[in-house]
């Protein structure tokens, strides 16, 4: 699917909106994966995880409105920097451990 940067009109809060074409989800046999993604995201809320705020659909598309992470994810930073300092590594590991502890 595509991901759009969107703004809630009432609060001016920014989100990322993931748009998935229903026909493509069905053609790729990803219905189960998409439903699991929505179910999983709807069960958790944590400041170190990407949280789902809304989910809706129209005739052609499914939409997940999730937290906008403008700083990038770990994969982005790994590709950009190739290596981290010891302090940066400790920070990322601490974030991962806190997230995993929450999910556990």
């Amino acid at each position: 699917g595509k991901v759009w940067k969107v703004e809630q009109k009432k609060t001016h809060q920014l989100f990322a909106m993931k748009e998935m074409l229903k026909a493509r989800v069905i053609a790729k046999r990803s219905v189960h994966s998409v439903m699991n993604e929505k179910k999983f995201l709807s069960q958790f809320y944590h400041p170190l995880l990407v949280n789902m705020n809304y989910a809706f659909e129209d005739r052609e598309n499914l939409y997940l409105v999730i937290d906008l992470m403008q700083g990038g994810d770990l994969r982005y930073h790994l590709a950009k920097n190739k290596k981290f300092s010891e302090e940066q590594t400790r920070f990322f590991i601490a974030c991962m451990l806190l997230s995993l502890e929450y999910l556990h």
Side-chain angles (χ1 to χ4, degrees), residues 44-92:
F44 302 106
Y45 192 87
H46 190 271
L48 294 175
L49 299 173
V50 175
N51 301 291
M52 183 181 72
N53 297 279
Y54 308 99
F56 58 96
E57 64 182 294
D58 61 20
R59 292 189 81 188
E60 289 109 24
N61 297 296
L62 303 168
Y63 303 92
L64 297 178
V65 180
I66 58 178
D67 293 341
L68 179 63
M69 306 301 260
Q70 297 194 96
D73 61 6
L74 182 59
R75 183 177 51 182
Y76 165 80
H77 289 286
L78 278 171
K80 182 180 173 190
N81 298 314
K82 304 290 186 230
K83 289 185 178 182
F84 296 129
S85 69
E86 186 176 334
E87 185 178 342
Q88 290 170 313
T89 303
R90 275 197 298 260
F91 172 77
F92 284 123

Side-chain angles (χ1 to χ4, degrees), residues 2-69:
K2 298 177 185 175
V3 179
W4 305 92
K5 181 179 175 181
V6 297
E7 178 182 3
Q8 186 179 40
K9 288 182 179 182
K10 194 175 191 178
T11 65
H12 301 289
Q13 187 174 359
L14 297 175
F15 295 99
M17 183 174 71
K18 184 175 181 181
E19 174 187 39
M20 296 167 279
L21 189 64
K22 288 180 181 179
R24 182 170 285 162
V25 170
I26 293 167
K28 289 188 170 190
R29 299 179 183 200
S30 299
V31 174
H32 187 69
S33 296
V34 170
M35 296 303 292
N36 277 340
E37 179 181 8
K38 182 197 174 281
K39 181 181 175 185
F40 181 79
L41 289 173
S42 68
Q43 292 177 346
F44 302 106
Y45 192 87
H46 190 271
L48 294 175
L49 299 173
V50 175
N51 301 291
M52 183 181 72
N53 297 279
Y54 308 99
F56 58 96
E57 64 182 294
D58 61 20
R59 292 189 81 188
E60 289 109 24
N61 297 296
L62 303 168
Y63 303 92
L64 297 178
V65 180
I66 58 178
D67 293 341
L68 179 63
M69 306 301 260

